[in-house]
Amino acid sequence: MTYDRHFATNWQLLLDAICTTMMLAPEREPPIVLSSLADLPYEVGQASGRAPLSFIQGPPGRNIALAIGLRAALPATPLVLIMSADSVTLGTNHLIHAARRNIGMTLLLLRSDVTAGAAPGSQDRMDWTQPYYQPDLESAPAPLAWLTALDAALVGRASLRDPDGLAELIHTAIETKGFGVLGVTTDARLEIGILSRSEWPEYFDAYRAWTAGLAAPAARAAGAAPARPARRVPRCALRIAGLGGHGIKLAGTVLSEALGRHEGLWTTQRGEYGSATRGGPSLVDVIAGSDPITYPGADQPDVLVLLSQAAAQRYAGSERPGAVLVADPGEVDPLPPGAAPVPITALAREHVGAPIAAGMVALGCVAALTEIVSLTALRLSLAGHVPQRLVARNQAALEAGYAAAQAAREGAQHG
Amino acid sequence: MTAPAPPTQLQTSFILREYLRPQMLPSTWCPGCGLGIILSSIAQAVHFRGLAKDQVAMVSGIGCTGRMSGYADFNTLHTTHGRAPAFATGLKLARPELTVITVMGDGDAMSIGGNHLVHAMRRNLGLVAVVVNNSVYGLTGGQLSPTTPVGGHTTTARAGSFERPMNLEALARAAGAAFFARATVNHSFGLTKMVERALSGPGFALVEVISNCHVLYGKMNETPEAAGMMMAMDANTVRSNPTLQRRARLPVRLTDAETPAVPAADARPLAGVQTDTRLRRGVIFERRGRVDYSGRYYAQSAPPGDDEAA
Amino acid sequence: MTHIAFMHGNEAAAEGAVAAGCRFYAGYPITPSSEIAEILSGRLPEVGGVFIQMEDEIASMAAIIGASLGGLKSATATSGPGFSLMQENLGFAVMSEIPCVVVNVQRVGPSTGLPTKAAQGDVMQARWGTHGDHPIIALTPSSAQETYHLAVRAFNLAERFRTPVILLMDAIVAQLKEKVEVPDPASLQIVPRAAPSVPPADYKPFPFARGEVGPLAVFGQGYRYHVTGLLHDEHGYPTEDPAVVSAWWEHMATKLDAHLDEILAWEEVQLADADLALVAYGGTARAAAHAVTLARSEGIKLGLLRPITLWPFPEEAVRRLAGQVRGFIVPELNLGQIRYEVERLSAGRVPVEGLHRADGLQITPDQIVSAARAAHARDQA
Amino acid sequence: MASVVRGVYHIEVYRALCKACGLCTAWCPQAVLEPDAEGYPLAPGLANCINCKLCERHCPDFAIEVSLAAVEKRA
């Protein structure tokens, strides 16, 4: 490769250095060059009519993030980024995070004396000057200092006045695993060479090592789709409303899976779940039916269970005529007309020792008072959603709710 | 508006009520969250500096920390994610006489806002930034943050993080911040003093506060209790001042010396990785003769001074 | 073999992506889409893919473009504020014809808005969010089941047409847990990345094929070429030549329009005899479908047109319907975005009424039925 | 010569602000504070209070206040 260095532009010198690295390591894949600088591809393209390199002209500053995606896909391909002011303006965040993570790429940060032919600055400590706006007002960005501080794998400085040294340094940076950065200048007074090195695993190498030990996916929830249900169930809307700490989210999950998996229906589950510590309102809507569910809200429930006074004030009376209504007489006063009284919270305390099982007691009531879900289906579903050691207690709560609701119904029939 | 008279005695809660918006309380923060302690420390620092509420602006970003500006009775600005330093820059340049305090979480300040933070430090305007570092994204549910330690479990790194965390101290030094201090919520008296000192000087002052997210990070990393997580900060940090380090060895201890350190979350060491993770707390660096550059934007004749004589 | 699962929409999007062959995800946490990242952070390593949490959404979008050029099917997921940040590089992907999938779980905006509340206010941003004229595909699911299938379809369309595809979800679907019949992966039709059949010397990375796209060569496999956000010729080199620019526009303007039959999808619910039509999509369409049942029980002949492909908009379906029904009602969780489209397409032939809210609450079937009743009464009078 | 006076301090807990996080009881070096059944702090050991204000300074919810009210009342 011959050229007249005396007349060569800075661009040609730089690209020639990159091409020289390919000769220094002929077995290595040719690099992909990323830059936002518009005039670069012409230089490359005109040399041979076709680009000898793949070239991405990404948006200013974002080439670093683009290179991260490329690195994830192509573990071994050298990625060479040519950046100028974009590295210390809109690209700064990408710059510092790629360095922090040590993602394998080689950055050439061009000082303004390279890009604009400006007079070399005297601010050696800053390494880099920003060629516009108010250069005398602000302290100049110092990307090499930032990246040294963040322990980039390699930080160096090279000069276009020493093209062979430049190629040599780029080659070294490419060979360095991880994030390498070279400040490129035309200034002869600046120190040239490797300024700092740091040891840290390359990000995607570490990623692959870190994730290699992860368990292969177990056969995911195997099992065929159940046969279509023999019975036709019209849309049925169930709502359980109480407070955070009543275990309402778990109840909703157990109920919807009992209906969907074991009763062969379509189901949806949505809710607002308060936390136990805050004790705010908590609510779950489960809709089930033979046809896929459209609207997931139980605005006019067919089954309504009220666990707290606030819930009763808000939702009593919203149910469809003829709906199944359950309320906890220990919490709700007065009892809404037609409600089956079941001391749900008291039963939860009795069987689990805390109100957290109230949702499970409520499900027992639903099984006792409706045709939509069986106790067996709830039991099966429950076993899949609580830790083994808690299954027995939750089942007791479920069955207590079932028994109490049956007793309440019989009481109502006889009384 | 006149500044309040310096307090004659520590009527702390009185001060707090003076500087908070009671109608906004209780906060939306989880029980035991260190953010309230940090807000309390900032309010006290403002009080002890004798600053009038009207002369103070608090600018926050998005996240649990972003909510802080809603509770403080200053001129408050709750901005977009990561951009608080940029909003604060505009405000400071428009009203140089205001004391502008920026509060950000670790993800807010260092991840999405990393660029703005670096350039704010470089410009060295008279801003105070309090960065609350709890190693995790709280508001969105416990994802990896740029300060999650190697081995720390998060919802987007269930097997433990392998990423090198951001070294804010080194970055602040390299980017040219005038002042950098680190406190923990377990050392709130020191935190108040650091914020006071940050408020007192020109230039960009950064205070990093190690805080607790026991609800998400703690739960995933075997420290689900607020108190335990905070007390562990005593063992996980070391005073930057050697005199104070010696004094700390004296038997007068208000926190339980037996409290175990937070286990390093079954960290699998990576080859070539330093394992000393104890952070220094205290004032880490303060550049002498630090220059507040904000004046320059009005009188552009002044050449940049030598601000590097640290 | 098909199996039963219980998933919310976010999980279905993540599982659908894995099934479609997604092997790279870059994202940034944001409510209410974070579960997609959380699930993929576990699932992608299992299938040999890469998950990375980036420093912001700008970087996330750039990284998935890079990974796609490297040959991995790539996706990101976000919500309103993050979607705004992605617009810059979304435009880059459109310009440089790079397949990728962007999931946007909409929430109430503008700005931080109501982070946890459902909305459909990003419909027009999905269409015109990045600057300049451009083709785009946006799909909007109404259920977890459909989210799974549309996630697969989004990747297929992205590969087929070399374009970013937006999976425009809302928090209703994203957070609703429901039963999903997960199909046997072998039964899914997956569009693989097309490889060039010509030798590198003859390869044109961006052919102006008028209504067709050429294969996108994977970087590092011998096809060295140039990718740019500038307007470019077929080799990817920037150009300002008006003739070349015109040819480029011709290509871009026709690449989706010539294949609307492959892209457009919508559902018609009881439209055959309807004299009043709802146009609803996403989570809101569920209330609309329920409202159709309720209204019909009152004797109101209500039907529903549910666009599944939101962009390009199923224009012919609306035009045809405008000649049949006596009015449209458009319920949506914004202050009128698709309503404009319906108004434009019905061109004054029939009245178009909007049923809008953007206060974080959802539109209920009762509200829709009330509107239908009023319209019906006006019609009878 | 300063000396610690015991038994003259008053501890006020604002229940409306308190979230029962337990930090104040965890920090109290004198075992003054104890949680009640719901986790809110009570001060059965008030006589031992040394006004160190660790409870007050570590309350994230501005819900506890140590004062000299007892002294003032006596005066």
Side-chain angles (χ1 to χ4, degrees):
Chain A
M1 195 172 294
T2 60
Y3 52 83
D4 186 342
R5 278 180 188 165
H6 183 68
F7 293 108
T9 65
N10 288 346
W11 286 124
Q12 284 165 335
L13 288 170
L14 192 63
L15 291 168
D16 198 63
I18 294 171
C19 292
T20 307
T21 63
M22 293 161 69
M23 293 191 286
L24 290 173
E27 73 293 344
R28 193 169 58 206
E29 264 191 67
I32 298 172
V33 178
L34 298 95
S35 178
S36 66
L37 300 162
D39 37 358
L40 206 45
Y42 296 118
E43 307 272 349
V44 178
Q46 282 165 3
S48 64
R50 296 271 316 154
L53 307 164
S54 282
F55 192 96
I56 299 176
Q57 187 187 10
R62 316 299 181 209
N63 285 299
I64 300 168
L66 258 156
I68 293 173
L70 272 172
R71 173 57 70 233
L74 308 170
T77 311
L79 305 175
V80 177
L81 287 79
I82 304 173
M83 305 187 79
S84 60
D86 62 332
S87 65
V88 293
T89 50
L90 20 55
T92 303
N93 206 21
H94 313 306
L95 186 74
I96 61 178
H97 283 282
R100 164 177 81 85
R101 292 184 163 124
N102 201 32
I103 294 175
M105 61 179 82
T106 302
L107 273 72
L108 309 179
L109 303 188
L110 311 186
R111 265 172 63 118
S112 52
D113 50 273
V114 176
T115 50
S122 57
Q123 298 178 34
D124 188 8
R125 68 187 166 85
M126 284 309 177
D127 300 302
W128 214 95
T129 50
Q130 202 175 350
Y132 60 95
Y133 292 155
Q134 299 168 308
D136 295 335
L137 182 61
E138 298 180 348
S139 53
L144 297 192
W146 302 342
L147 298 170
T148 305
L150 293 175
D151 293 325
L154 180 144
V155 179
R157 199 190 284 111
S159 174
L160 286 175
R161 294 189 177 204
D162 175 16
D164 294 333
L166 173 66
E168 200 61 53
L169 261 180
I170 297 174
H171 169 71
T172 309
I174 291 174
E175 287 295 308
T176 301
K177 269 285 191 188
F179 186 89
V181 58
L182 299 174
V184 180
T185 177
T186 58
D187 194 333
R189 289 171 296 170
L190 295 175
E191 183 193 345
I192 300 297
I194 295 169
L195 304 178
S196 75
R197 273 183 180 278
S198 170
E199 288 285 322
W200 188 273
E202 199 276 328
Y203 181 90
F204 289 106
D205 286 352
Y207 175 87
R208 294 195 165 87
W210 202 251
T211 56
L214 296 184
R220 251 158 222 288
R228 291 281 148 214
R231 54 178 183 156
R232 269 217 61 86
V233 178
R235 182 181 193 273
C236 177
L238 304 97
R239 172 170 285 183
I240 303 173
L243 301 174
H246 276 155
I248 281 175
K249 184 179 187 179
L250 175 67
T253 305
V254 169
L255 176 60
S256 70
E257 293 214 20
L259 290 161
R261 208 183 279 284
H262 305 294
E263 302 284 358
L265 303 174
W266 286 95
T267 62
T268 62
Q269 174 200 350
R270 78 167 193 195
E272 291 152 27
Y273 310 113
S275 74
T277 40
R278 303 247 177 96
S282 192
L283 166 90
V284 68
D285 285 352
V286 173
I287 319 291
S290 297
D291 297 319
I293 308 305
T294 54
Y295 181 59
D299 304 347
Q300 295 171 312
D302 301 289
V303 179
L304 177 62
V305 185
L306 301 167
L307 299 176
S308 72
Q309 181 69 7
Q313 279 167 350
R314 202 157 162 204
Y315 301 116
S318 69
E319 72 275 12
R320 203 176 287 286
V324 171
L325 183 59
V326 184
D328 184 342
E331 305 287 331
V332 178
D333 181 45
L335 221 54
V342 180
I344 294 173
T345 311
L347 286 171
R349 282 191 202 279
E350 183 183 323
H351 288 278
V352 176
I356 191 78
M360 221 42 67
V361 179
L363 291 190
C365 300
V366 172
L369 301 177
T370 70
E371 299 289 318
I372 185 101
V373 67
S374 69
L375 196 58
T376 315
L378 289 171
R379 273 204 209 101
L380 287 170
S381 176
L382 172 68
H385 286 283
V386 296
Q388 197 55 43
R389 63 196 164 83
L390 297 177
V391 168
R393 272 191 279 174
N394 275 288
Q395 262 191 22
L398 190 65
E399 280 155 22
Y402 188 85
Q406 268 192 333
R409 179 168 61 182
E410 278 157 24
Q413 279 165 356
H414 299 136
Chain B
M1 181 147 183
T2 54
T8 50
Q9 60 184 41
L10 280 174
Q11 291 184 337
T12 318
S13 290
F14 161 75
I15 293 169
L16 292 179
R17 256 174 268 119
E18 190 67 24
Y19 288 91
L20 298 184
R21 293 170 173 155
Q23 71 275 23
M24 295 290 290
L25 298 174
S27 68
T28 59
W29 296 321
C30 301
C33 178
L35 279 164
I37 300 172
I38 296 165
L39 171 55
S40 145
S41 297
I42 293 174
Q44 291 185 61
V46 167
H47 186 81
F48 294 140
R49 289 292 309 154
L51 298 168
K53 289 194 283 185
D54 207 35
Q55 291 304 307
V56 177
M58 183 180 272
V59 185
S60 67
I62 295 294
C64 295
T65 310
R67 290 291 180 134
M68 190 183 285
S69 60
Y71 306 126
D73 193 20
F74 304 125
N75 303 287
T76 53
L77 179 59
H78 183 197
T79 69
T80 47
H81 195 28
R83 321 296 176 204
F87 280 85
T89 297
L91 181 61
K92 183 69 183 176
L93 289 179
R95 298 292 301 267
E97 73 279 13
L98 280 183
T99 297
V100 181
I101 304 171
T102 310
V103 289
M104 295 167 283
D106 44 310
D108 197 35
M110 287 176 242
S111 191
I112 192 166
N115 198 354
H116 309 299
L117 187 69
V118 166
H119 287 285
M121 293 193 286
R122 173 176 71 78
R123 292 200 178 95
N124 221 1
L125 304 181
L127 299 172
V128 173
V130 177
V131 174
V132 180
N133 179 359
N134 62 5
S135 306
V136 80
Y137 282 79
L139 204 58
T140 50
Q143 293 86 6
L144 191 71
S145 104
T147 54
T148 304
V150 171
H153 299 271
T154 70
T155 54
T156 50
R158 299 249 178 220
S161 171
F162 62 89
E163 282 191 13
R164 175 165 55 181
M166 177 69 86
N167 186 340
L168 184 60
E169 176 185 332
L171 187 63
R173 201 188 288 274
F179 174 89
F180 181 83
R182 187 186 290 113
T184 83
V185 287
N186 188 26
H187 304 94
S188 58
F189 290 92
L191 169 59
T192 306
K193 286 189 184 133
M194 286 173 216
V195 177
E196 271 190 76
R197 209 160 139 187
L199 287 168
S200 70
F204 189 94
L206 186 60
V207 181
E208 180 187 6
V209 191
I210 310 292
S211 188
N212 60 309
C213 182
H214 52 288
V215 171
L216 290 164
Y217 190 73
K219 200 168 268 179
M220 287 184 278
N221 293 281
E222 294 165 14
T223 44
E225 297 295 331
M229 202 167 183
M230 282 189 201
M231 287 182 182
M233 290 169 188
D234 208 64
N236 291 346
T237 54
V238 58
R239 289 168 196 261
S240 58
N241 181 325
T243 314
L244 293 176
Q245 269 176 35
R246 277 197 298 281
R247 197 189 295 168
R249 284 198 293 272
L250 295 173
V252 182
R253 305 278 298 158
L254 290 172
T255 52
D256 183 2
E258 298 300 309
T259 305
V262 176
D266 71 321
R268 283 188 268 166
L270 296 168
V273 175
Q274 296 286 324
T275 49
D276 183 15
T277 54
R278 288 215 299 176
L279 288 167
R280 291 193 301 156
R281 63 174 199 266
V283 175
I284 309 294
F285 66 81
E286 182 169 18
R287 289 176 209 269
R288 274 176 235 285
R290 47 193 169 115
V291 180
D292 187 341
Y293 284 12
S294 55
R296 293 183 183 177
Y297 291 83
Y298 299 96
Q300 295 204 0
S301 52
D306 184 14
D307 56 307
E308 291 287 314
Chain C
M1 182 184 278
T2 304
H3 74 265
I4 300 295
F6 290 83
M7 298 178 180
H8 46 64
N10 279 341
E11 188 176 355
E15 290 296 336
V18 172
C22 175
R23 292 296 177 268
F24 181 84
Y25 178 95
Y28 187 80
I30 187 165
T31 306
S33 75
S34 299
E35 290 93 347
I36 298 176
E38 291 173 8
I39 293 162
L40 287 176
S41 74
R43 287 287 279 132
L44 285 178
E46 286 176 358
V47 295
V50 176
F51 170 91
I52 182 169
Q53 187 178 313
M54 296 297 287
E55 57 270 24
D56 57 28
E57 287 90 348
I58 303 170
S60 305
M61 190 67 215
I64 68 167
I65 293 170
S68 188
L69 277 169
L72 298 182
K73 288 190 180 179
S74 310
T76 185
T78 189
S79 181
F83 195 50
S84 294
L85 291 179
M86 287 178 182
Q87 297 301 336
E88 173 196 315
N89 291 329
L90 186 69
F92 184 84
V94 171
M95 172 60 85
S96 50
E97 301 189 65
I98 294 166
C100 55
V101 172
V102 179
V103 183
N104 175 17
V105 182
Q106 301 165 87
R107 63 189 223 189
V108 180
S111 191
T112 315
L114 296 172
T116 60
K117 303 292 184 187
Q120 297 176 312
D122 304 352
V123 168
M124 283 297 169
Q125 192 193 20
R127 180 65 196 87
W128 296 117
T130 198
H131 57 277
D133 292 291
H134 59 277
I136 197 84
I137 299 177
L139 309 174
T140 188
S142 284
S143 67
Q145 182 80 60
E146 191 171 60
T147 304
Y148 185 95
H149 287 293
L150 285 193
V152 174
R153 196 151 174 263
F155 282 92
N156 285 348
L157 289 172
E159 295 295 335
R160 167 73 182 82
F161 296 107
R162 280 183 55 178
T163 178
V165 175
I166 298 160
L167 186 60
L168 194 63
M169 297 172 66
D170 52 54
I172 300 175
V173 174
Q175 307 290 352
L176 178 68
K177 195 171 178 189
E178 56 186 332
K179 186 165 114 170
V180 174
E181 290 182 349
V182 180
D184 183 352
S187 74
L188 292 172
Q189 283 200 328
I190 305 294
V191 176
R193 176 69 55 89
S197 54
V198 296
D202 302 331
Y203 176 61
K204 284 181 187 171
F206 306 98
F208 298 164
R210 293 207 55 196
E212 265 311 328
V213 294
L216 179 67
V218 171
F219 270 18
Q221 298 190 348
Y223 293 85
R224 292 187 297 276
Y225 59 98
H226 183 58
V227 181
T228 176
L230 289 167
L231 242 157
H232 48 260
D233 62 19
E234 294 179 284
H235 290 285
Y237 297 123
T239 178
E240 292 179 355
D241 179 348
V244 179
V245 172
S246 298
W248 183 86
W249 275 117
E250 181 81 18
H251 164 66
M252 287 306 261
T254 53
K255 86 170 182 178
L256 299 187
D257 284 356
H259 302 279
L260 289 181
D261 52 331
E262 280 180 70
I263 301 167
L264 291 184
W266 68 89
E267 186 191 14
E268 296 187 0
V269 179
Q270 309 217 39
L271 275 180
D273 66 338
D275 47 33
L276 191 59
L278 302 170
V279 180
Y281 52 96
T284 309
R286 302 178 72 117
H290 193 59
V292 168
T293 317
L294 297 179
R296 289 209 166 235
S297 71
E298 295 181 15
I300 302 169
K301 285 187 179 167
L302 188 63
L304 165 67
L305 177 73
R306 180 171 74 87
I308 297 168
T309 310
L310 214 44
W311 304 115
F313 195 68
E315 300 187 343
E316 265 321 299
V318 176
R319 276 203 194 96
R320 185 159 28 83
L321 209 52
Q324 174 197 327
V325 297
R326 278 178 277 181
F328 284 105
I329 299 175
V330 186
E332 50 184 341
L333 293 179
N334 55 48
L335 299 184
Q337 298 196 12
I338 286 299
R339 191 189 83 215
Y340 294 146
E341 283 297 299
V342 178
E343 279 173 352
R344 179 174 70 82
L345 295 164
S346 59
R349 284 185 284 172
V350 291
V352 178
E353 187 187 336
L355 183 55
H356 305 297
R357 73 187 311 165
D359 55 0
L361 297 177
Q362 298 173 18
I363 296 173
T364 63
D366 279 354
Q367 283 178 289
I368 299 172
V369 171
S370 301
R373 248 183 240 129
H376 183 66
R378 272 198 304 274
D379 208 31
Q380 300 295 308
Chain D
M1 182 88 189
S3 62
V4 173
V5 185
R6 291 178 190 243
V8 295
Y9 302 104
H10 177 67
I11 296 179
E12 183 77 40
V13 176
Y14 303 100
R15 293 280 285 230
L17 295 180
C18 181
K19 292 175 187 160
C21 69
L23 287 187
C24 53
T25 45
W27 254 265
C28 182
Q30 297 293 102
V32 172
L33 300 166
E34 266 180 33
D36 68 7
E38 291 170 74
Y40 294 100
L42 300 173
L46 192 59
N48 294 325
C49 178
I50 55 169
N51 192 26
C52 70
K53 287 190 183 282
L54 279 182
C55 55
E56 192 176 296
R57 291 300 305 266
H58 284 97
C59 175
D61 294 290
F62 327 109
I64 189 165
E65 180 171 10
V66 186
S67 64
L68 287 166
V71 175
E72 283 154 21
K73 260 181 216 155
R74 220 178 284 168

